[in-house]
């Protein structure tokens, strides 16, 4: 019998009804797994009642048999009971009727004889219950044969066959064991042997009989057990009603207590929830925009709006509703992050669904409202102790207005454990991982992709100072109908990877010369992490023959443009010949929120103090191609003020020289930029 994963959402009320219906089975399962002791039966009741969830929970990763006709809510509760019983503190006692292999072996034994499960399903369930070695537990359970019934009063009649035999552990023997455990005070007593039925069973079995002597059976499905379960459910519902009433009272106080300020100081930021409004319509999963598969082939613009809805959870309305409500009005415990300059408000109408799936142990939803991309993430199992569960629910927003075909090539689906996975555009035919510090790594290593377009993991770059030994990049090539040219990207902490371009025309940085410049620039990219960067363009504005026969150097201007248009960061570099192709160039100047090196401002002037291989110090300067004359003035120039025709300058200077630069453009009047100081390289 195989196992499968079904996508579902467990409702609190469903779990409560299932607990009452299957209470006897769950209590007996917990009882068999727990260590023997004076409080074994009450502990079994506490473990079973504690399995109820506190909120709606996803069961997407829940394993269960494909062919078993079992209530999925009961299956989920059974897993919770197993986990809790296995995690209980161990005592010095061991039930004589169960295998002596620890709680995992007893769990396997109980699943075989009480639940009538096959070994492959038991192995899968034990693994989900965090048992380290399910095979060993199964082996010990097989070796332990059911013990014969203990002598005593006549056992009650078993159910003959059919659906109830698996529930019917011999009532007399179980009652004796529970009575022994409950009546013990100082000295723990081992319970009598529990005799397992041989007939198969399942849910809906007749309730086991009472214990001998008319005593109620604490582990039976009816009587006191049912009353205990009902009392638990009633108390929980009463607490929920009380909490809802208190919340309603607080809301009423807020509405009536402050005239003209209905929702408090952040009223303008709250989404309107007027019935029938566009905001309410935006919370309806059925109203989500879904592009058809292949729509990008006919679209006039190939961008995020042409992406079809992909992923295994695109029809999970409960998950989609949680994502939409969180975007509209996130709870206080939701981690909300937005790229610089990105509004955090709700979508103006129903957004477009790009993806809903479960990569890397989390449920992820990607939405697009024409201006922003939103990523909603929630753990599949909030109680499994993983990093995803500890992070909880999160919402990330990033601007994507005006994205073209190249900018909409991929989105980051998950970023965890030093790795990132991308969802590629539907027109992408090949995705590869390249090392940007190695110009010779042109083809890279092909990344595996799922049927939904999610890539395998790509390492995140190491951004610690002096630890830049490689810089992972993403290479994407599209179909002939869209993005057929190879494009390079890198992860800078945004939902959209930053596109890497080169030259005044901002062509893809894939040529040999462009890759050499990029290899010496990549290690400076940590300066623009988490800045909402859209693209990084490197532009060589000058080349200079170095003094003392030290070869030829390149002067490069790198501009990190943002999605919001403002806040761009610019740096100029001096890249002399180097032994290693990935050795970073020397940063000579930095600017922020400037038009320099942009398509409308090509004027550049920069310089630095440089020492040749002969040990001599020089002032080196360079300007853009429009510069016709350079001047250097200040202290430390060995020959006094210097001037050079053209857009490069090299003059001898002292080690402590303090020099300012100026330039004249081709018309002989306009300066290139304000006078720039000369500093040693970074």
């Amino acid at each position: 019998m195989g196992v499968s994963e079904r996508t579902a959402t467990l409702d609190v009320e469903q779990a409560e009804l299932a607990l009452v219906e299957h209470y006897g089975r769950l209590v007996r399962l917990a009882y068999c797994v727990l260590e023997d002791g004076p409080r074994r039966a009450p502990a079994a009741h506490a473990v079973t009642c504690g399995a109820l969830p506190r909120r709606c929970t996803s069961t997407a990763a829940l394993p269960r048999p494909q062919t078993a006709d079992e209530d999925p809510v009961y299956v989920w509760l059974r897993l919770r009971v197993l986990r809790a019983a296995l995690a209980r503190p161990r005592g010095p006692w061991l039930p004589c009727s169960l295998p002596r292999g620890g709680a995992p072996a007893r769990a396997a034994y109980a699943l075989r004889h009480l639940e009538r499960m096959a070994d492959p399903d038991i192995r899968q369930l034990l693994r989900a219950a965090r048992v380290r070695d399910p095979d060993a537990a199964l082996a010990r359970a097989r070796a332990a044969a059911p013990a014969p019934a203990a002598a005593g009063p006549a056992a009650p009649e078993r159910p003959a066959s059919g659906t109830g035999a698996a529930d019917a552990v011999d009532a007399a023997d179980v009652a004796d064991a529970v009575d022994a455990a409950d009546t013990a005070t100082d000295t723990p007593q081992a319970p009598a042997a529990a005799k397992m039925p041989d007939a198969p069973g399942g849910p809906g079995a007749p309730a086991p009989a009472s214990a001998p002597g008319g005593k109620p059976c604490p582990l039976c499905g009816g009587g006191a057990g049912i009353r205990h379960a009902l009392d638990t459910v009633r108390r929980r519902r009463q607490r929920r009603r009380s909490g809802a009433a208190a919340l309603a009272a607080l809301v009423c106080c807020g509405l009536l207590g402050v005239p003209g300020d209905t929702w408090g100081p952040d009223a303008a930021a709250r989404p309107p929830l007027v019935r029938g409004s566009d905001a309410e319509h935006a919370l309806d999963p059925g109203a989500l925009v879904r592009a058809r598969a292949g729509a990008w082939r006919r679209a006039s613009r190939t961008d995020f709006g042409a992406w079809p809805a992909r992923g295994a959870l695109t029809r999970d309305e409960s998950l989609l509703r949680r994502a939409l409500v969180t975007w509209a009005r996130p709870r206080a415990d939701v981690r909300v992050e937005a790229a610089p300059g990105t509004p955090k408000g709700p979508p103006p109408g129903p957004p477009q669904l790009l993806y809903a799936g479960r990569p890397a142990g989390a449920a992820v939803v990607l939405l697009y409202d024409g201006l922003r991309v939103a990523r909603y993430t929630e753990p599949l199992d909030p109680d499994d102790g993983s990093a995803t569960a500890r992070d909880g629910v999160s919402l990330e927003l990033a601007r994507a207005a005006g994205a073209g075909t190249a900018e909409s090539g991929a989105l980051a689906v998950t970023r965890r454990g030093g790795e990132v996975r991308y969802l590629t555009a539907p027109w992408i035919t090949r995705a590869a991982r390249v090392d940007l510090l190695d110009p010779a790594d042109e083809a890279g290593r092909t990344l595996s992709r799922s049927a939904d377009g999610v890539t395998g993991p790509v390492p995140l770059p190491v951004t610690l100072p002096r630890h830049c030994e490689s810089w992972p990049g993403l290479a994407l090539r599209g179909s002939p109908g869209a993005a057929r040219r190879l494009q390079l990207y890198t992860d800078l902490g945004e939902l959209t990877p930053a596109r890497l371009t080169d030259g005044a025309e901002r062509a893809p940085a894939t040529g040999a010369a462009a890759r050499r410049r990029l290899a010496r620039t990549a290690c400076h990219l940590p300066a623009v992490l988490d800045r909402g960067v859209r693209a990084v363009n490197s532009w060589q504005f000058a080349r200079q023959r170095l003094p003392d026969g030290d070869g030829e150097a390149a002067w490069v201007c790198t501009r990190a443009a943002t999605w919001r248009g403002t806040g761009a960061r610019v740096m100029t570099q001096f890249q002399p010949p180097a032994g290693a192709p990935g050795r970073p160039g020397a940063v000579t100047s930095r600017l922020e929120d400037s038009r320099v090196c942009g398509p409308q401002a090509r004027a550049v002037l920069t310089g630095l103090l440089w020492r040749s291989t002969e040990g001599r110090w020089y002032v080196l300067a360079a300007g853009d191609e429009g510069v016709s004359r350079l001047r250097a003035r200040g202290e430390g120039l060995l020959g006094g003020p210097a001037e050079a025709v053209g857009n490069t300058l090299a003059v001898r200077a002292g080690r402590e020289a303090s020099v300012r630069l100026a330039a004249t453009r081709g018309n002989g009047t306009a300066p290139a930029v304000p006078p720039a100081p000369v500093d040693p390289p970074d």
Side-chain angles (χ1 to χ4, degrees):
M1 186 182 299
V3 295
S4 65
E5 288 187 359
R6 297 184 184 177
T7 301
T9 301
L10 178 64
D11 188 75
V12 176
E13 285 75 11
Q14 288 179 307
E16 291 172 346
L17 292 175
L19 178 75
V20 174
E21 180 181 358
H22 303 289
Y23 191 76
R25 293 179 68 187
L26 294 170
V27 169
R28 285 192 293 279
L29 179 61
Y31 183 83
C32 290
V33 177
L34 291 171
E35 292 279 2
D36 191 16
R39 302 294 297 169
R40 184 181 178 191
H45 286 284
V47 164
T48 304
C49 293
L52 285 173
R54 296 182 179 179
R55 58 181 181 272
C56 292
T57 305
S58 172
T59 61
L62 178 65
R64 63 172 175 268
Q66 289 180 339
T67 59
D69 185 16
E70 286 188 297
D71 182 1
V73 184
Y74 167 73
V75 174
W76 189 88
L77 289 172
R78 180 175 61 192
L79 176 59
R80 294 262 295 187
V81 167
L82 272 179
R83 286 181 177 175
L86 289 168
R88 295 281 294 192
R90 301 293 180 249
W93 310 282
L94 188 68
C96 59
S97 60
L98 296 175
R100 298 180 175 271
R106 293 196 299 277
Y109 187 87
L111 292 174
R112 294 189 79 204
H113 295 280
L114 281 178
E115 297 293 308
R116 294 298 180 185
M117 294 177 62
D119 287 357
D121 298 330
I122 296 175
R123 186 179 297 106
Q124 186 76 2
L125 183 55
L126 291 178
R127 189 174 294 110
R130 306 187 191 111
V131 173
R132 293 184 178 179
D133 193 350
D135 293 326
L138 264 173
R140 288 192 290 268
R142 294 191 203 100
E157 185 178 353
R158 300 172 184 262
S161 61
T163 61
D167 281 6
V169 178
D170 190 298
D173 294 333
V174 172
D176 291 343
V178 175
D179 289 343
D182 287 340
T183 55
T185 54
D186 299 328
T187 305
Q189 299 178 13
K195 186 175 181 181
M196 305 297 177
D198 296 329
S210 302
K215 296 181 181 180
C217 173
L219 299 182
C220 293
I226 293 296
R227 287 194 298 274
H228 188 77
L230 289 173
D231 290 343
T232 301
V233 171
R234 289 192 190 100
R235 287 194 298 269
R236 286 168 55 90
R237 292 185 175 180
Q238 181 62 36
R239 285 196 295 267
R240 287 203 299 271
R241 285 194 293 267
S242 300
L247 180 61
L250 289 175
V251 171
C252 290
C253 291
L255 290 173
L256 301 176
V258 185
D261 191 14
T262 303
W263 286 101
D266 60 343
R270 297 273 185 156
L273 294 179
V274 180
R275 186 172 300 279
S277 66
D278 290 340
E280 185 189 28
H281 191 49
L283 302 181
D284 181 10
L288 283 171
V289 178
R290 299 171 186 258
R292 294 182 179 179
W296 63 271
R297 301 181 186 275
R298 302 177 297 274
S300 58
R301 289 184 55 189
T302 49
D303 55 11
F304 292 121
W307 282 29
R310 290 174 288 175
L313 306 182
T314 55
R315 297 299 174 183
D316 190 338
E317 291 195 359
S318 179
L319 171 65
L320 298 178
R321 187 181 300 278
R322 291 196 296 273
L324 292 170
V325 171
T326 300
W327 191 355
R329 186 174 298 195
R331 303 189 312 269
D333 60 338
V334 175
R335 177 171 53 88
V336 180
E337 297 179 357
T342 304
K344 295 184 179 180
Q352 180 179 346
L353 177 61
L354 303 180
Y355 175 82
R358 44 174 179 269
V364 178
V365 179
L366 290 175
L367 302 167
Y368 175 61
D369 68 351
L371 300 175
R372 299 163 296 170
V373 174
R375 181 175 69 189
Y376 171 83
T377 305
E378 68 176 28
L380 291 176
D381 187 349
D383 302 321
D384 64 0
S386 64
T388 304
R390 291 194 299 270
D391 289 345
V393 179
S394 65
L395 176 70
E396 298 177 59
L397 299 167
R399 295 178 68 128
T405 303
E407 288 89 354
S408 56
L411 287 173
V413 176
T414 61
R415 187 182 289 109
R416 185 175 304 282
E419 296 177 335
V420 58
R421 296 174 186 265
Y422 296 100
L423 175 67
T424 57
W427 54 81
I428 296 300
T429 57
R430 183 178 184 269
R433 166 191 165 189
V434 298
D435 184 2
L436 299 182
L437 299 190
D438 183 7
D441 186 16
E442 298 179 0
R445 291 188 291 177
T446 301
L447 290 171
S448 62
R449 289 192 297 163
S450 67
D452 301 329
V454 178
T455 70
V458 177
L460 291 172
V462 178
T463 58
L464 297 176
R466 295 182 294 277
H467 286 79
C468 187
E469 299 177 355
S470 67
W471 193 280
L474 179 68
L476 299 178
R477 186 184 296 277
S479 65
R484 64 184 305 171
R485 300 179 64 184
L486 184 67
Q487 300 282 348
L488 283 182
Y489 306 83
T490 189
D491 186 275
L492 295 180
E494 312 295 335
L495 290 180
T496 55
R499 183 180 173 224
L500 302 174
T501 60
D502 185 83
E505 302 300 325
R506 286 166 169 70
T510 53
R515 287 296 303 271
R516 287 194 295 269
R517 286 188 285 272
L518 181 60
R520 306 196 65 181
T521 302
C523 289
H524 295 301
L525 292 180
V528 295
L529 284 172
D530 302 319
R531 300 287 299 179
V533 173
R534 176 177 187 166
V536 178
N537 183 74
S538 293
W539 168 49
Q540 178 182 293
F541 60 88
R543 291 195 69 85
Q544 182 176 22
R545 179 70 62 179
L546 297 176
D548 297 341
D550 282 351
E552 194 174 39
W555 293 85
V556 178
C557 188
T558 300
R559 178 183 178 85
T562 66
W563 284 97
R564 61 190 182 278
T566 60
R569 287 196 171 186
V570 180
M571 67 177 174
T572 56
Q573 292 181 74
F574 172 70
Q575 296 181 354
R583 182 177 179 181
V587 177
T588 60
S589 61
R590 299 181 190 270
L591 295 170
E592 186 170 354
D593 203 12
S594 171
R595 300 173 66 186
V596 173
C597 290
Q600 300 176 354
R602 313 298 296 179
V604 184
L605 174 62
T606 187
L608 82 164
L609 281 169
W610 172 78
R611 186 174 67 176
S612 71
T613 55
E614 300 294 333
R616 302 185 183 94
W617 287 89
Y618 292 86
V619 168
L620 303 181
D624 62 276
E625 294 178 352
V627 172
S628 59
R629 189 177 297 273
L630 286 173
R631 296 181 298 277
R633 292 183 175 87
E635 299 179 359
L637 293 173
L638 299 186
E643 187 171 335
V645 176
N647 66 338
T648 62
L649 175 146
V651 59
R652 285 287 306 276
R655 182 174 181 176
E656 304 296 332
S658 177
V659 180
R660 298 191 71 84
L661 302 173
T664 303
R665 302 192 70 80
N667 57 14
T669 56
V673 291
V678 174
D679 298 310
D682 287 0

